[in-house]
Amino acid sequence: MASLTSISQSHTLLKKPNFTPSIPHNLSSSFTPRDFLFSKTQSFKLPQMASRSYVVSASTTETPRKRYPGEAKGFVEEMRFVAMKLHTKEQAKEGEKEVKQPEEHPVRKWEPSIDGYLKFLVDSKLVYDTLESIIDEAAFPIYAEFRNTGLERSEKLAKDLQWFEEQGYAIPKPSSPGITYAEYLKEISDKDPQAFICHFYNTYFAHSAGGRMIGKKVAQQILNNRELEFYKWDGDLSQLLQNVRDKLNKVAESWTRDEKNHCLEETEKSFKHSGEILRLILS
């Protein structure tokens, strides 16, 4: 899980996605509505030519709708843009987030532990199990578009947890951050597909970028550089991501501007939940 403001360079991530969500935090429907085309006729007499009158028609030109950042490239670029704005300047040059809470400050001393990392992996698996189950069940037809994308992580995490168990480590039960996020995903998936798609995008795309950076750093410090399955993909990752971008853009073409804005506004909640899970690494 990535995209959090708590672990600095980690979420500089969001991809290429490489993920952006776009909006200036709460993106409301602030676009300028189109002006209605109007015309007005007016009759007047020219000097010394009272016998002849002329009709002049004045009409305004239609004002084009204001475009949202990234909109010209497709909705995924809008999502990526929003996600990057939720970083601090220290994390990303596009970042605009102001640090207000102690947990939002970048971690100055990176000291992961095996116990903390296992908590992170277990809670991450619960979230990916939930996401992939929702996609498979497809309460809304658009969810089915994202089956078997190659980005799935649940089986990979199962293999990693089995490896840790074989090394003699006790695998913990899911903790509050993962349980809370999984329940939230179930709740919105049944009634709010735009919000769910926001979490789907941010979770998978953030992991493919900042998530890999975190995994590499943890491996160097506590795993003797072992690369876990969680950070491996079958096939060309860049192509897998592009395939999903194309699907996301296609799905969003049928959404109204308000529905797109609603999806973008969910980005901050995605960051909040994923950040709480990521911080488990340092617990």
Side-chain angles (χ1 to χ4, degrees):
M1 303 237 109
S3 198
L4 2 160
T5 56
S6 57
I7 304 230
S8 101
Q9 272 59 23
S10 70
H11 215 25
T12 295
L13 331 155
L14 276 184
K15 300 105 174 244
K16 226 174 167 165
N18 270 124
F19 120 40
T20 195
S22 120
I23 268 187
H25 260 290
N26 287 327
L27 181 59
S28 58
S29 294
S30 58
F31 64 81
T32 304
R34 294 180 176 179
D35 294 325
F36 290 100
L37 187 67
F38 71 95
S39 66
K40 180 162 68 171
T41 59
Q42 184 173 27
S43 235
F44 62 91
K45 295 180 180 180
L46 292 173
Q48 299 177 349
M49 296 182 69
S51 62
R52 300 180 66 182
S53 64
Y54 293 80
V55 177
V56 177
S57 177
S59 63
T60 61
T61 57
E62 192 171 294
T63 302
R65 179 178 68 78
K66 173 185 174 183
R67 277 191 175 276
Y68 286 77
E71 184 179 359
K73 295 183 179 180
F75 188 62
V76 170
E77 183 63 14
E78 291 190 56
M79 289 197 284
R80 190 198 70 81
F81 187 86
V82 173
M84 297 310 295
K85 292 299 181 185
L86 288 177
H87 291 77
T88 64
K89 281 291 185 185
E90 186 172 359
Q91 293 172 325
K93 64 180 181 180
E94 299 171 77
E96 294 182 355
K97 183 176 177 64
E98 295 181 6
V99 176
K100 297 178 181 178
Q101 302 299 325
E103 63 270 19
E104 294 176 337
H105 287 280
V107 175
R108 299 300 178 186
K109 198 169 184 180
W110 178 258
E111 294 181 340
S113 67
I114 291 289
D115 287 343
Y117 194 45
L118 281 172
K119 292 177 184 177
F120 163 73
L121 293 175
V122 167
D123 278 30
S124 294
K125 184 176 185 300
L126 176 60
V127 170
Y128 283 105
D129 285 347
T130 303
L131 286 167
E132 288 157 27
S133 175
I134 290 169
I135 292 297
D136 285 342
E137 294 171 8
F140 289 88
I142 62 171
Y143 296 168
E145 294 292 325
F146 303 101
R147 290 173 180 159
N148 303 315
T149 63
L151 299 183
E152 292 80 12
R153 297 291 87 195
S154 185
E155 290 185 8
K156 299 285 189 179
L157 280 162
K159 291 179 180 179
D160 288 331
L161 291 173
Q162 181 180 355
W163 178 82
F164 275 104
E165 194 169 23
E166 290 170 353
Q167 309 312 304
Y169 294 103
I171 306 302
K173 298 292 184 182
S175 59
S176 179
I179 294 172
T180 299
Y181 195 15
E183 288 302 315
Y184 180 68
L185 290 170
K186 291 177 185 176
E187 177 186 340
I188 62 173
S189 68
D190 285 336
K191 61 184 181 183
D192 195 342
Q194 284 77 30
F196 175 75
I197 288 297
C198 176
H199 290 268
F200 172 88
Y201 164 76
N202 280 285
T203 300
Y204 285 98
F205 278 64
H207 177 65
S208 72
R212 288 194 293 166
M213 294 168 57
I214 292 168
K216 184 176 181 179
K217 182 173 285 191
V218 171
Q220 290 172 343
Q221 292 189 249
I222 63 176
L223 296 177
N224 294 319
N225 287 313
R226 178 184 176 84
E227 183 181 18
L228 298 184
E229 295 299 314
F230 189 28
Y231 307 102
K232 297 178 184 178
W233 286 262
D234 299 324
D236 180 7
L237 177 58
S238 62
Q239 185 59 56
L240 296 176
L241 291 169
Q242 186 57 51
N243 293 343
V244 175
R245 281 193 202 93
D246 292 343
K247 289 177 181 290
L248 287 166
N249 283 331
K250 185 68 176 176
V251 164
E253 286 178 1
S254 64
W255 293 352
T256 65
R257 186 64 250 179
D258 283 346
E259 288 174 329
K260 290 179 179 179
N261 289 351
H262 176 60
C263 176
L264 296 173
E265 288 165 353
E266 192 73 11
T267 306
E268 195 160 8
K269 289 182 181 178
S270 174
F271 272 48
K272 174 182 177 294
H273 285 293
S274 59
E276 290 172 351
I277 292 174
L278 182 57
R279 282 191 286 274
L280 291 171
I281 296 177
L282 303 178
S283 63

